[in-house]
Amino acid sequence: MKFDVLQILGAVLTVVGAQGAIRLLIDHANVGLPAWLGAGFTLTLAGYLVATAAGIVLAGWAHDRAKALGRRK
């Protein structure tokens, strides 16, 4: 159950990060969630890309762990 939740969390983090990065690349003024930080375009884009990468790694790791336990094929 723990790895299922972590895999879902990783997928959500991936989607939110990728969606934010794409939105920011299309409209540079639309910062989205981290608007309260006051960071510029580059730092905000880097944050979204780090969130996307972290989500991919987390979801992949959780899937591998669940697979090792026999919960996935």
Side-chain angles (χ1 to χ4, degrees), residues 9-70:
L9 218 67
V12 168
L13 192 59
T14 300
V15 168
V16 169
Q19 183 266 340
I22 291 169
R23 183 188 62 241
L24 187 62
L25 286 172
I26 292 172
D27 181 9
H28 297 309
N30 191 358
V31 177
L33 287 175
W36 58 274
L37 290 175
F41 170 77
T42 307
L43 287 177
T44 305
L45 182 60
Y48 278 130
L49 294 177
V50 166
T52 302
I56 291 169
V57 169
L58 179 62
W61 176 81
H63 177 75
D64 290 343
R65 294 293 300 152
K67 192 174 183 180
L69 293 174

